[in-house]
Amino acid sequence: MARAVNASVYSPELLARNYGSRPVQLLRRTLQILVALGSFSLKLLIDQRNGVLDQNKRKRAAELRRIFTRLGPTFVKLGQGLSTRPDICPPEYLEELSELQDALPTFPDAEAFSCIERELGLTLDSIFSSISPSPIAAASLGQVYKAQLKYSGQIVAVKVQRPGIEEAIGLDFYLIRGVGFLINKYVDIITTDVVALIDEFASRVYQELNYVQEGQNARRFKKLYADKEDVLVPDIFWDYTSGKVLTMEWVEGVKLNEQVAIESQGLKVLDLVNTGIQCSLRQLLEYGYFHADPHPGNLLATPEGKLAFLDFGMMSETPEEARFAIIGHVVHMVNRDYEAMARDYYALDFLSPDVDVTPIVPALRNFFDDALNSSVSELNFKTIVDGLGAVLYQYPFNVPAYYALILRSLTVLEGLALYADPNFKVLAASYPYFAKRLLTDPNPYLRDALVELLFKDGRFRWNRLENLLVQGRKDRDFSAKDALQPVLKLLLGPEGEELRTLVIKESVRVTEAVVLGAVIDTYNSMPDFMRSLVFTGSRRGPLLMSDTELEKVIELRDQVFRIWGLLRSSENFDPTLLQPILQVLQQPEGRILGGRVVGGITQRLAARLLQQVLRT
């Protein structure tokens, strides 16, 4: 920490003081940027006048990617940032910019070794028994060497910051911020606050320049997520880490996009991708602290079959309210409740409260009605992202950085999986986690979302509950004991009267189905001569019901039995999970509810008996 005390932080005021008095340097870099971007803008203008702007989008997007690469680290990072902003860039640009690679020419090894000695205050020989003569990887902000610690023999990765990088990106961000002011003032078509976006992005890049901060990020990430045996996060060697030098445990592994190399080790890419998806969901929706740059180079498959996360310079956090809103948004999407989906954008901080969401609803309906014709297991995440991005691009959305990074994270994982299995769907792999959270999380937002999912038009949708249990059981952390407890608490709470009415009706229906099903089963178990003698041999036996009515009764009874079977067959099933229900029923509110259910059942069965007599 002492070594990083002078680490720079992003400050627009400081940049203005440092570079405002350097006109020659500013002019030289400005001309370099203007020539590159000006020629690109001219091509866009010509495309527009010739009516081929849309036709050439893909071509121009590829050109912009190459321009950013030539302009250096700041623009490489800027391009990567834009690749996560569907509210700013059309889909073609998002795809091309997402391919930007950090690979840049290396800087001299002598400068790197000098930086290590200067930062750590020790000679290389006193720290390492050996170090690679050249870097094993180079990125926009630094390069990495492989070394062996002298005191322990531990193999480590030593990351050294590129000399002069702070000066280069400081100058660029000063110029870019000035352009942002002009865009805000004169370009009406862009509704997002461009200067605020630049400031937010610049602060994240400056955080990457502080390697002590990156080490702390890695330590926090390891504490939260490396509790799972299939996730690996390297340890940091703090004695050999400073603001510009980061020493961490060496991880042997293969990049996640190198399928042949992974499978040659007897591993399956899809297993590793599923591990990545489950870990990402925990990052995004459980703790809210997540890796914001999960490209293939930062994800390694180890020989032991673990998924290793690297490079913790760029991290982000999902606000607590947004975590629950995202899960609720998925529920509203499955329910095709587009009005609720549109309202979710307030909680997600996509829209200011004064924006009317009414015009957005038809756009959501037009896209999702087509997309949701497939089952959840068949939905392609990239299709959803592209379609939603098109909606965001047309309306006054301001996509928060955390959400754009979430989309990027899951899109990268699905892209990796598609190499191994063209039919892989990230939403299908994610659904068990959503199901588990809906069934077990006591948060009021999720509890209401579960009630909304299970009840419609005054009827309980048993098929939805069965599907949630089937999916939830696929999650390794699913607990049958916790399933539906949040709804039970709501049921007997002061705000649960409407739900109690629905539960009473459904309890009566289920009890009737069980009783009538038992009657039919008893009748069917009789010998043929007794059935013919007593009930004329009809398959309905003593029940005067239509075939359709009979099928509905048996279907409901069988569905309830299947759900009970799913709970009982869970690995951690314990009969004591019924104990909270019994305890609740002993409370005054529970006894009242029980009495209403018994009364309803008695009335229903009496009415059914009278109906049978009158029909006879």
Side-chain angles (χ1 to χ4, degrees):
M1 293 301 294
R3 293 187 185 121
V5 70
N6 294 321
S8 298
V9 293
Y10 176 69
S11 167
E13 295 78 15
L14 185 61
L15 291 183
R17 287 200 301 270
N18 286 346
Y19 300 106
S21 57
R22 303 184 192 178
V24 176
Q25 188 178 5
L26 286 174
L27 180 60
R28 185 186 303 117
R29 182 59 173 166
T30 300
L31 288 175
Q32 185 180 3
I33 295 171
L34 284 178
V35 169
L37 297 182
S39 61
F40 175 77
S41 301
L42 182 61
K43 290 178 182 178
L44 289 182
L45 184 61
I46 294 172
D47 285 348
Q48 186 176 27
R49 290 192 174 180
N50 293 338
V52 293
L53 188 63
D54 290 338
Q55 181 181 335
N56 286 347
K57 266 185 183 178
R58 178 73 60 184
K59 178 181 177 182
R60 298 302 177 217
E63 288 180 11
L64 184 62
R65 172 172 54 81
R66 291 191 290 269
I67 288 171
F68 280 171
T69 302
R70 288 198 304 271
L71 286 175
T74 307
F75 286 86
V76 168
K77 288 293 181 184
L78 180 62
Q80 290 177 333
L82 287 173
S83 73
T84 69
R85 303 301 307 219
D87 55 333
I88 297 177
C89 296
E92 293 83 358
Y93 283 80
L94 295 179
E95 291 183 20
E96 283 293 335
L97 293 177
S98 67
E99 295 179 12
L100 271 170
Q101 299 297 313
D102 270 342
L104 288 172
T106 62
F107 57 89
D109 298 309
E111 290 187 34
F113 296 152
S114 175
C115 177
I116 294 173
E117 293 182 335
R118 184 173 59 253
E119 286 288 309
L120 302 183
L122 299 167
T123 63
L124 281 183
D125 292 341
S126 66
I127 305 171
F128 309 114
S129 56
S130 66
I131 186 168
S132 59
S134 58
I136 50 123
S140 57
L141 303 184
Q143 56 196 38
V144 179
Y145 295 84
K146 184 177 182 180
Q148 184 176 30
L149 290 177
K150 195 165 189 176
Y151 85 96
S152 66
Q154 177 92 32
I155 303 298
V156 295
V158 185
K159 185 176 177 181
V160 186
Q161 193 170 111
R162 188 177 290 272
I165 188 70
E166 186 179 328
E167 175 79 9
I169 67 171
L171 175 62
D172 284 347
F173 277 123
Y174 175 72
L175 293 172
I176 293 170
R177 199 169 187 272
V179 174
F181 275 113
L182 295 177
I183 292 174
N184 279 351
K185 187 173 182 179
Y186 298 110
V187 183
D188 296 334
I189 193 172
I190 297 179
T191 58
T192 303
D193 185 347
V194 177
V195 172
L197 286 179
I198 293 170
D199 286 343
E200 178 186 308
F201 182 70
S203 66
R204 292 186 183 280
V205 173
Y206 267 76
Q207 285 177 17
E208 288 192 70
L209 294 179
N210 184 352
Y211 286 177
V212 169
Q213 180 63 53
E214 180 175 344
Q216 290 176 324
N217 293 343
R219 180 167 59 183
R220 182 181 175 189
F221 191 91
K222 184 181 183 77
K223 182 179 179 181
L224 291 176
Y225 308 116
D227 56 327
K228 302 301 181 186
E229 60 183 14
D230 48 11
V231 173
L232 174 65
V233 179
D235 288 321
I236 304 298
F237 292 86
W238 293 105
D239 289 342
Y240 308 113
T241 294
S242 72
K244 296 183 179 180
V245 175
L246 176 65
T247 304
M248 66 169 62
E249 174 187 1
W250 179 265
V251 178
E252 287 289 350
V254 180
K255 290 182 181 180
L256 213 56
N257 60 348
E258 297 178 4
Q259 182 181 348
V260 175
I262 290 174
E263 292 179 347
S264 68
Q265 298 181 8
L267 304 176
K268 294 181 179 179
V269 174
L270 289 184
D271 290 343
L272 292 159
V273 170
N274 270 313
T275 297
I277 290 171
Q278 298 308 314
C279 186
S280 293
L281 290 171
R282 291 183 70 209
Q283 292 174 51
L284 305 172
L285 304 175
E286 203 162 316
Y287 296 106
Y289 183 70
F290 66 93
H291 196 298
D293 192 20
H295 63 72
N298 291 338
L299 300 170
L300 298 184
T302 71
E304 300 79 24
K306 294 185 177 184
L307 179 65
F309 285 82
L310 305 177
D311 193 353
F312 301 91
M314 188 176 287
M315 309 295 288
S316 190
E317 297 199 42
T318 313
E320 184 175 13
E321 182 183 8
R323 293 177 224 161
F324 301 119
I326 290 170
I327 298 176
H329 197 60
V330 172
V331 173
H332 295 146
M333 181 184 73
V334 172
N335 278 349
R336 304 189 185 217
D337 188 347
Y338 303 119
E339 288 80 6
M341 281 184 73
R343 291 193 298 272
D344 287 336
Y345 296 128
Y346 294 132
L348 290 168
D349 203 23
F350 278 32
L351 297 170
S352 60
D354 60 330
V355 174
D356 181 18
V357 297
T358 305
I360 300 170
V361 174
L364 291 173
R365 179 178 290 109
N366 289 340
F367 170 70
F368 281 106
D369 270 349
D370 289 336
L372 293 174
N373 283 334
S374 306
S375 67
V376 172
S377 63
E378 295 173 333
L379 282 174
N380 183 295
F381 186 74
K382 188 176 183 306
T383 301
I384 296 290
V385 171
D386 288 347
L388 189 56
V391 175
L392 299 180
Y393 189 64
Q394 294 173 23
Y395 294 93
F397 283 92
N398 182 25
V399 179
Y402 74 85
Y403 186 78
L405 292 169
I406 287 172
L407 296 184
R408 179 185 180 188
S409 175
L410 294 178
T411 303
V412 166
L413 287 169
E414 184 174 60
L416 291 170
L418 290 174
Y419 282 113
D421 179 7
N423 296 317
F424 182 87
K425 301 295 184 291
V426 73
L427 283 180
S430 305
Y431 201 60
Y433 177 86
F434 284 97
K436 180 203 71 174
R437 289 290 299 275
L438 280 173
L439 289 168
T440 61
D441 199 304
N443 179 268
Y445 194 101
L446 297 188
R447 182 194 61 198
D448 293 343
L450 176 60
V451 171
E452 181 182 331
L453 184 66
L454 295 181
F455 287 92
K456 184 177 183 180
D457 299 329
R459 300 294 291 270
F460 190 86
R461 296 191 280 187
W462 290 96
N463 62 322
R464 286 286 172 89
L465 176 58
E466 183 179 5
N467 185 45
L468 283 175
L469 287 170
V470 168
Q471 295 295 330
R473 289 174 72 237
K474 296 177 183 177
D475 190 282
R476 70 180 74 178
D477 298 322
F478 176 75
S479 171
K481 187 174 182 179
D482 296 333
L484 300 178
Q485 292 300 319
V487 176
L488 186 63
K489 292 178 181 177
L490 172 65
L491 182 63
L492 299 174
E495 300 176 356
E497 178 57 36
E498 183 179 353
L499 181 60
R500 284 193 286 273
T501 302
L502 294 173
V503 167
I504 290 168
K505 290 180 180 179
E506 203 58 36
S507 299
V508 172
R509 283 185 65 232
V510 170
T511 304
E512 180 192 40
V514 171
V515 171
L516 297 183
V519 171
I520 294 170
D521 288 345
T522 302
Y523 169 74
N524 289 334
S525 66
M526 289 180 170
D528 291 341
F529 77 92
M530 289 187 64
R531 281 190 286 181
S532 300
L533 181 66
V534 181
F535 299 120
T536 71
S538 168
R539 78 183 189 92
R540 292 183 292 275
L543 302 178
L544 298 177
M545 304 169 66
S546 67
D547 288 343
T548 301
E549 190 178 7
L550 177 63
E551 288 173 2
K552 287 182 179 179
V553 167
I554 297 301
E555 181 183 358
L556 176 59
R557 190 274 308 265
D558 292 346
Q559 202 160 38
V560 172
F561 284 175
R562 283 198 303 272
I563 289 170
W564 174 241
L566 286 170
L567 290 171
R568 290 186 62 190
S569 62
S570 297
E571 289 184 10
N572 54 3
F573 175 79
D574 185 345
T576 59
L577 72 86
L578 296 175
Q579 188 174 351
I581 300 177
L582 297 176
Q583 290 174 347
V584 164
L585 290 176
Q586 293 173 3
Q587 299 173 7
E589 297 86 351
R591 288 198 292 270
I592 294 171
L593 178 63
R596 291 170 66 182
V597 171
V598 171
I601 292 170
T602 303
Q603 292 178 14
R604 184 65 172 259
L605 292 178
R608 176 69 71 177
L609 179 61
L610 180 60
Q611 185 183 53
Q612 299 295 316
V613 171
L614 292 175
R615 283 185 179 177
T616 304

